[in-house]
Amino acid sequence: ILKRNLKNSIAHMNQVLMDSLAACGDVNRNVMCTVLPEASEVHAEVVATAQAVGEHLLPKTTAYHEIWLDKKRVVDSKGEVVPDHEPIYGATYMPRKFKIAFAIPPRNDVDVYAHDLGFVAIVEGGEVVGYNVTAGGGMGASHGDPVTYPRLASVIGFCTPQQVIEVTEAIVTIQRDFGDRSERKHARFKYTIDDRGLDWLHDELESRLGYRLPEPRAFEFTHNGDQVGWQQTSDGMWHCVLFIQNGRLADREGATQLTGMREIAGIHQGEFRLTPNQNVVISGVTAEQRPAIDQLLQAHGLDSWNRQTPLRLHSMACVGFPTCGLSMAESERYLPDLVTLIEQQMEKHGLQQQAITIRMTGCPNGCARPYLAEIGLVGKGPGLYNLHLGAAFNGSRLNTLYRESVYEEDILSELDTLFASYAAERQANETFGDFLLRSGVVADAGLQQEGAA
């Protein structure tokens, strides 16, 4: 969107009941959760709670409407401007952006440990009895600056469903009051926690809540990423999670995906949803309508999940060049080709059906969450990447820097050697990241979360 068209575009979004309120700025940016609340009563309840948190944290100021919609400021009977009231953010807002996620084990499809604040649903007897609370996650870092680093969120306790809103507000206001306002690179919640300590966080949270969070409860994550393909939910409706490589819908030779989605939109009576892993869900499809949509999926190459390796299905990249001003290297446009070369290596070692997470970013800011991938590639310059290895497949352990400033030839050479060892020495059901840790290829950074094995 060109700058001169921005105001008009946002006004038109508002007219069709959409908005970009809190999509940027020093506020809570988003609340992520499962894209299929219809999957079960548990999923529906967790989604409703996540939506309630998002609504609660929306800025109450009228500034958005004044700037974009030409609304006039409120004045009192004396003609004096009535100041905005921000009950949570106050006059100074947050020191930096803030992000929240809800996860429902056993699938960690939102990478809950990558967020400032997270809630892991604890389900007993088919009911949500509460949530484990995680705090202090974040992916951003800067090359050559050791005081910036990715951090895995810490599990700090357990709360009941009725306590979620007040716990959220208390933690947000802690970061509002104690976050670093002098250095933006040091302004995320993860640094506030590391500077002051988890004991301080527990005490400060208790002082605001009036009670101390009890110990977290046991849970297990087995996967992250999306379950692609058709799924039927408890209401009898069908939903198709499409694999959209690096989130880019386009018409290419042999796969006219963008045209196909437009044709599906012409007949689809349900919804389209975006997943936290760059994929698209065609949601709310009736049994009668499914054959027509299936035909369009096949005709336009949108059924590619049937033909992709697990490695590609678990790949993700940020946009990188040419659209990101922070990018130092290619990512979205390059990762598909690199995955093809890695797939050839894996097939050579009999690993072609092994699921491995691989993620690439064009800079160290971590938008594609590369530090939570078993193979993470972080751009340093044109064609040049840092190679990170050894994260947990379920997203519960960060990877570590294995080789710095390497080109494609070196990346492939290193991985070929490691795949050979993995094929020969892995234990039953051992993931690639866990093998690298067990065999000493990467060091144990001590970051895997308890109860998330």
Side-chain angles (χ1 to χ4, degrees):
I1 299 177
L2 298 179
K3 191 173 183 179
R4 63 177 176 268
N5 297 332
L6 186 58
K7 184 174 180 178
N8 189 50
S9 298
I10 290 179
H12 278 93
M13 292 178 197
N14 184 77
Q15 289 175 10
V16 295
L17 305 182
M18 295 174 65
D19 69 67
S20 57
L21 185 62
C24 64
D26 297 331
V27 294
N28 177 60
R29 294 280 187 89
N30 51 264
V31 181
M32 289 208 298
C33 193
T34 175
V35 295
L36 287 179
E38 302 90 346
S40 71
E41 291 183 1
V42 164
H43 286 71
E45 179 181 343
V46 175
V47 169
T49 302
Q51 290 172 334
V53 168
E55 290 292 327
H56 187 73
L57 293 180
L58 279 177
K60 305 303 186 288
T61 176
T62 60
Y64 179 90
H65 307 84
E66 293 164 15
I67 294 169
W68 303 113
L69 306 177
D70 291 328
K71 299 293 184 181
K72 303 301 180 184
R73 300 189 70 180
V74 178
V75 296
D76 60 19
S77 59
K78 299 179 181 179
E80 296 180 352
V81 174
V82 177
D84 277 343
H85 176 59
E86 280 288 352
I88 297 175
Y89 297 115
T92 55
Y93 288 78
M94 304 284 283
R96 197 74 162 80
K97 61 185 177 181
F98 201 86
K99 299 183 178 182
I100 301 175
F102 282 72
I104 306 172
R107 184 169 290 275
N108 184 17
D109 54 354
V110 296
D111 272 332
V112 68
Y113 296 114
H115 294 75
D116 296 276
L117 176 61
F119 293 92
V120 180
I122 304 300
V123 181
E124 297 176 1
E127 297 183 357
V128 180
V129 297
Y131 298 86
N132 281 355
V133 183
T134 67
M139 294 286 98
S142 297
H143 286 313
D145 187 356
V147 300
T148 67
Y149 48 84
R151 185 187 191 276
L152 207 67
S154 303
V155 182
I156 63 171
F158 173 85
C159 72
T160 66
Q162 295 74 27
Q163 295 170 330
V164 168
I165 294 290
E166 61 185 8
V167 169
T168 298
E169 182 171 331
I171 289 179
V172 166
T173 58
I174 288 173
Q175 170 62 356
R176 178 199 66 194
D177 296 342
F178 292 96
D180 188 350
R181 293 183 181 271
S182 61
E183 173 57 59
R184 282 189 71 80
K185 284 189 176 183
H186 193 253
R188 291 296 297 273
F189 192 33
K190 60 183 177 180
Y191 301 122
T192 306
I193 291 176
D194 283 350
D195 289 347
R196 296 174 179 269
L198 283 172
D199 289 341
W200 166 84
L201 178 61
H202 282 286
D203 293 342
E204 185 63 32
L205 186 57
E206 182 180 5
S207 72
R208 298 183 185 225
L209 293 173
Y211 57 88
R212 200 171 188 88
L213 295 183
E215 290 296 310
R217 302 195 183 183
F219 67 97
E220 181 182 19
F221 284 135
T222 57
H223 295 79
N224 65 10
D226 297 326
Q227 181 181 342
V228 295
W230 285 101
Q231 303 168 46
Q232 189 173 30
T233 49
S234 57
D235 58 1
M237 302 297 283
W238 287 93
H239 312 264
C240 190
V241 182
L242 306 179
F243 171 65
I244 307 298
Q245 190 160 234
N246 300 327
R248 183 66 65 182
L249 268 173
D251 284 349
R252 299 184 175 90
E253 185 178 353
T256 51
Q257 292 187 336
L258 182 56
T259 296
M261 287 297 287
R262 286 173 171 157
E263 292 187 13
I264 290 171
I267 65 171
H268 181 39
Q269 299 173 359
E271 297 178 347
F272 294 97
R273 301 173 184 173
L274 307 182
T275 82
N277 301 292
Q278 303 180 327
N279 295 321
V280 175
V281 187
I282 305 172
S283 186
V285 179
T286 64
E288 293 76 18
Q289 193 182 24
R290 179 178 165 179
I293 291 181
D294 256 330
Q295 185 177 13
L296 289 172
L297 293 177
Q298 296 167 14
H300 295 283
L302 284 162
D303 62 341
S304 65
W305 76 85
N306 289 315
R307 301 180 295 277
Q308 305 296 352
T309 64
L311 177 73
R312 195 174 297 271
L313 293 175
H314 287 86
S315 65
M316 184 158 54
C318 71
V319 295
F321 289 149
T323 55
C324 178
L326 299 176
S327 188
M328 304 174 182
E330 290 281 1
S331 50
E332 177 198 319
R333 298 189 298 186
Y334 169 51
L335 183 58
D337 294 334
L338 181 63
V339 167
T340 297
L341 296 175
I342 296 174
E343 286 173 333
Q344 294 169 3
Q345 291 183 330
M346 294 180 67
E347 184 174 8
K348 180 177 69 172
H349 297 293
L351 298 170
Q352 61 269 30
Q353 294 306 314
Q354 178 65 42
I356 297 176
T357 55
I358 179 169
R359 296 173 181 175
M360 174 181 283
T361 56
C363 83
N365 285 291
C367 291
R369 308 191 291 277
Y371 308 109
L372 284 171
E374 293 173 284
I375 302 172
L377 294 153
V378 180
K380 289 198 72 177
L384 197 65
Y385 299 86
N386 283 354
L387 175 61
H388 298 251
L389 297 173
F393 180 72
N394 63 6
S396 66
R397 182 181 64 245
L398 290 173
N399 54 31
T400 58
L401 179 61
Y402 181 70
R403 291 287 184 269
E404 190 171 0
S405 301
V406 291
Y407 291 99
E408 178 183 285
E409 180 181 356
D410 301 312
I411 294 168
L412 294 174
S413 176
E414 295 287 357
L415 291 178
D416 189 46
T417 300
L418 295 173
F419 287 151
S421 299
Y422 179 49
E425 303 168 17
R426 60 178 169 162
Q427 298 176 352
N429 300 318
E430 187 173 33
T431 62
F432 186 56
D434 287 353
F435 166 77
L436 296 178
L437 186 66
R438 179 181 62 81
S439 60
V441 173
V442 296
D444 185 355
L447 294 173
Q448 182 153 341
Q449 287 297 347
E450 297 291 336

